[in-house]
Amino acid sequence: MSQELKELLRSVLQEELKPVHDRLERLEGAVGHIRQDVSQLQQDVSQLQKEVAQLQEGQRTLETTVSQIQKDIIQLQEGQQIVEHEMAGMKQMQERILEELRISKHNQALILNDVTNIRKSVDVTVSHLQRRSDVMFDKLIDHEKEILNLKSKMPN
C-alpha cells in the first residue's frame, strides 16, 4: 500500500473511531464515579455497622438497668409487705395494751411506762423503715435518670 492510502485509511479510521473513543472515555469517567460511590457506600455501611454495635451495647445496658429496676421494685414491694405486717403486728399489740389498761387500772403507772417504751420502739422502727424506703426510692430515681439519659443518647 502506498503511503497516501495508509494515511487516508488512518484518517478514516480515526474519524470513525472518534465517537467510540469519546463514549469509552465517558464510560471510564462513569466507572470512576461509580467506584467512588461504591467506596463511599462501603464507608457508610462501615459507619452504620459501628453505630448498630453501639446501639446494641446501649440496648444491653438498658436491659440490665431495667432488670435491676425490676429487682429493686420487687424488693420495695417486699419491704412494703414487711412494713404492713409489722404495722398489723403493732396494731394488735396496741389493742392488747389497751385491754390491759382497762383491766389493770390499779397498775396504770407501770402500764403507761410500757406503752411509752413501745411507742418509742414503734417510732424507731417507722423511722428506720422510712429511711430504708427513702433509700430505695432514691435508687429507683437514679435508675430512671440513667434510663432517660440512655434514651436521650439513642438516635430516633
Side-chain angles (χ1 to χ4, degrees):
M1 258 196 223
S2 73
Q3 184 66 24
E4 291 176 5
L5 187 60
K6 285 182 182 178
E7 289 297 321
L8 181 63
L9 184 60
R10 184 174 289 145
S11 173
V12 168
L13 281 174
Q14 284 178 348
E15 284 299 317
E16 290 295 319
L17 293 177
K18 185 172 192 279
V20 173
H21 283 291
D22 290 344
R23 280 189 264 156
L24 183 60
E25 286 177 7
R26 285 193 307 269
L27 183 61
E28 287 174 348
V31 167
H33 286 299
I34 289 172
R35 284 186 178 149
Q36 288 176 347
D37 291 346
V38 167
S39 175
Q40 183 61 44
L41 286 173
Q42 287 173 336
Q43 290 175 359
D44 291 348
V45 166
S46 176
Q47 181 63 32
L48 285 173
Q49 287 171 337
K50 289 177 186 176
E51 290 174 3
V52 165
Q54 290 173 346
L55 286 173
Q56 288 171 338
E57 180 62 29
Q59 182 179 2
R60 284 190 290 273
T61 302
L62 182 61
E63 288 170 353
T64 301
T65 301
V66 167
S67 176
Q68 183 61 45
I69 288 172
Q70 288 171 340
K71 289 177 185 176
D72 291 347
I73 287 172
I74 289 171
Q75 286 179 348
L76 183 62
Q77 290 165 351
E78 289 172 353
Q80 182 179 0
Q81 290 172 354
I82 291 170
V83 168
E84 288 172 358
H85 179 72
E86 288 179 357
M87 293 300 284
M90 287 181 215
K91 184 177 179 180
Q92 290 175 352
M93 184 183 293
Q94 285 177 343
E95 289 172 1
R96 282 186 296 206
I97 291 172
L98 286 175
E99 186 61 29
E100 288 286 327
L101 281 173
R102 288 184 196 107
I103 295 171
S104 308
K105 282 189 176 183
H106 68 281
N107 215 2
Q108 286 182 353
L110 293 176
I111 293 174
L112 185 58
N113 188 32
D114 288 344
V115 170
T116 302
N117 288 336
I118 290 171
R119 173 72 72 195
K120 287 178 184 177
S121 174
V122 168
D123 290 343
V124 168
T125 301
V126 168
S127 175
H128 171 74
L129 291 173
Q130 183 63 43
R131 284 193 306 271
R132 183 174 176 194
S133 176
D134 289 345
V135 167
M136 293 177 92
F137 276 111
D138 287 344
K139 284 183 181 181
L140 183 61
I141 289 168
D142 288 341
H143 287 296
E144 287 295 324
K145 285 180 182 176
E146 287 179 32
I147 288 172
L148 289 174
N149 188 22
L150 285 174
K151 283 183 180 179
S152 69
K153 290 180 181 179
M154 291 179 65
N156 293 333

